[in-house]
Amino acid sequence: MLFFICFAFIPFAQSLGLILTIGILANVAFGFAYTFFSGTFTAWCVDSLREKAPDIGYEHLLSRAYTYNFLAQIIGGVLGVLFYVWHIPSVGFLIGALLCMACVAFCLGEMEEVKNIQFLEHKKVSLAVITKRIGEILGIGYQVFRNSSVILTLTLVFASYMFVINIVDYLWPVYLKTRVPSAIQTSSWIGLVVAIMLVSTLGSYTLTLWTRRWQKKNGARTHNTTLRRWFIATSLFAALPILALSWLTAHGLDTFWFFALAILPVEYAYGVIAPCYETLVNNYIPEEHSQQRATIMSFGSLLRSLLVMLLAIPAGGTSGATTTIGWAIPAFLLLASAVIGNFVLKKAQKKTLCACELSAEPSALLVAEKE
């Protein structure tokens, strides 16, 4: 809410210093909100789902949620462009703040704590007890994150992809403004916003249909091996067109039409990568560390924010017309992390299966085969 309210106030600021101050405050608020939301909401959904419907995979639930999210963003995106063109952007940000307030009120009443997880066992709850428990959860969560090569690898690939999509989403209007006559900029922006949201919806809907068919056929959650293939394949699918776009722009070739074609795979991948990443990480978090689930999940958004802070300026290029040259930086990072990540994940899954084959317990092998 603070993020939206700050941006709604910026058009009324009279000095550059005040604008920068409000902008920094807004982005700090967004960083906190994004980090906490990406961990807390996912953790609550995963644990609630395992308590109420353990045979349903989280990727199926989340891919459906992203489908609804993208459809809503089509409406919000079109309204945002129109408010900007009509020189009343504050209205759009105020609508966002009001929607946040409504969602907070709804969630406070509906999101009940999971019964099988007790964060505080003390009869007397005080600020000192809560602070100490938070410190313990953060410390243990960091240890689990640091000691798991699989979770580290998944987080690096996801953060690299989020870096790519952040750069693309932030800078495609800048590029488009330099290439499209002002008379048709509004229609071009609206058309591209709708196209972007439609392909993102298509990505999440494709994963929804596939997981629905899988769970109906097998009566179990989707295997980790299958989710890994989706995750890595769509990462490569997003990185390669952006690398090609950067190369064409660097060599002075006309990339206007290829530009539109190149960013669509990036947007399509979002509907697949986010559900697969969150499901895989939660599948690899040990059950005894369920209380640290939110902390472990938040490291993905933390690393993404760090990449944006360190590399956004060089990745943005020197001008709007040549900004796509700098996009090679996040795209190459995504390509490298996806290739390395595929190797690490395959090795970890093979090691788990081999260990269970040597075990005398048939149940362990069954679990490994399902994963």
Side-chain angles (χ1 to χ4, degrees):
M1 288 185 287
L2 181 60
F3 168 79
F4 284 118
I5 290 172
C6 285
F7 270 91
F9 185 73
I10 281 181
F12 303 100
Q14 299 297 321
S15 66
L16 180 60
L18 182 58
I19 291 174
L20 290 175
T21 301
I22 296 173
I24 292 172
L25 179 61
N27 280 281
V28 169
F30 176 80
F32 274 106
Y34 180 77
T35 301
F36 285 126
F37 175 82
S38 64
T40 307
F41 180 72
T42 299
W44 183 84
C45 288
V46 169
D47 289 319
S48 297
L49 192 64
R50 289 184 177 182
E51 186 175 272
K52 298 178 180 180
D55 293 331
I56 302 297
Y58 180 53
E59 75 286 346
H60 179 64
L61 178 70
L62 188 60
S63 59
R64 291 178 63 186
Y66 271 103
T67 300
Y68 303 142
N69 182 22
F70 294 136
L71 290 174
Q73 285 189 44
I74 293 177
I75 301 174
V78 172
L79 288 176
V81 170
L82 292 176
F83 288 141
Y84 175 75
V85 173
W86 295 338
H87 304 291
I88 50 173
S90 295
V91 175
F93 292 119
L94 287 175
I95 291 175
L98 291 173
L99 289 175
C100 283
M101 292 175 65
C103 289
V104 167
F106 175 80
C107 291
L108 285 174
E110 295 295 327
M111 292 179 69
E112 299 178 354
E113 189 59 81
V114 180
K115 296 179 181 178
N116 59 3
I117 297 180
Q118 297 294 327
F119 288 94
L120 294 171
E121 299 177 356
H122 297 76
K123 293 182 178 180
K124 279 190 174 183
V125 178
S126 64
L127 181 60
V129 171
I130 293 174
T131 303
K132 181 181 178 181
R133 189 71 187 106
I134 290 175
E136 292 173 351
I137 291 174
L138 290 174
I140 297 173
Y142 174 72
Q143 292 296 327
V144 174
F145 172 77
R146 188 186 67 176
N147 295 330
S148 173
S149 60
V150 174
I151 295 177
L152 273 170
T153 301
L154 288 168
T155 302
L156 178 60
V157 178
F158 176 72
S160 300
Y161 169 74
M162 291 305 297
F163 183 27
V164 172
I165 197 170
N166 284 166
I167 292 296
V168 171
D169 285 347
Y170 290 159
L171 296 179
W172 73 254
V174 177
Y175 174 85
L176 200 64
K177 191 172 184 179
T178 64
R179 302 299 304 272
V180 177
S182 57
I184 60 172
Q185 279 184 8
T186 301
S187 58
S188 299
W189 280 346
I190 291 177
L192 197 52
V193 166
V194 173
I196 286 172
M197 292 298 102
L198 284 177
V199 296
S200 296
T201 305
L202 179 62
S204 59
Y205 187 65
T206 301
L207 186 64
T208 301
L209 291 178
W210 193 91
T211 53
R212 182 185 301 165
R213 189 183 305 116
W214 170 277
Q215 294 176 13
K216 185 177 180 180
K217 180 180 178 181
N218 298 280
R221 293 180 292 175
T222 310
H223 293 178
N224 286 345
T225 301
T226 305
L227 291 173
R228 186 253 305 166
R229 291 170 180 168
W230 274 92
F231 183 64
I232 298 299
T234 48
S235 296
L236 296 174
F237 182 60
L240 293 174
I242 297 298
L243 285 172
L245 175 64
S246 299
W247 185 87
L248 292 173
T249 306
H251 287 75
L253 301 175
D254 186 10
T255 59
F256 178 73
W257 292 109
F258 188 77
F259 163 80
L261 295 176
I263 65 174
L264 292 181
V266 178
E267 304 293 342
Y268 174 89
Y270 189 44
V272 177
I273 288 177
C276 288
Y277 160 74
E278 295 189 14
T279 304
L280 282 169
V281 170
N282 282 287
N283 286 348
Y284 282 108
I285 295 175
E287 287 296 324
E288 62 268 24
H289 292 297
S290 294
Q291 293 189 5
Q292 289 80 41
R293 194 184 305 279
T295 300
I296 296 169
M297 291 298 304
S298 67
F299 283 113
S301 56
L302 177 65
L303 183 56
R304 163 260 176 198
S305 299
L306 187 63
L307 289 174
V308 171
M309 181 179 69
L310 296 177
L311 299 174
I313 292 178
T318 57
S319 68
T322 60
T323 182
T324 52
I325 297 177
W327 294 6
I329 296 175
F332 179 78
L333 183 61
L334 175 59
L335 176 64
S337 62
V339 172
I340 297 173
N342 187 54
F343 173 77
V344 173
L345 294 174
K346 285 180 66 176
K347 185 177 179 180
Q349 291 170 352
K350 185 177 180 180
K351 184 178 179 180
T352 302
L353 185 59
C354 289
C356 292
E357 287 176 346
L358 294 174
S359 173
E361 298 181 8
S363 59
L365 179 59
L366 179 62
V367 172
E369 287 177 344
K370 285 185 176 182
E371 291 184 351

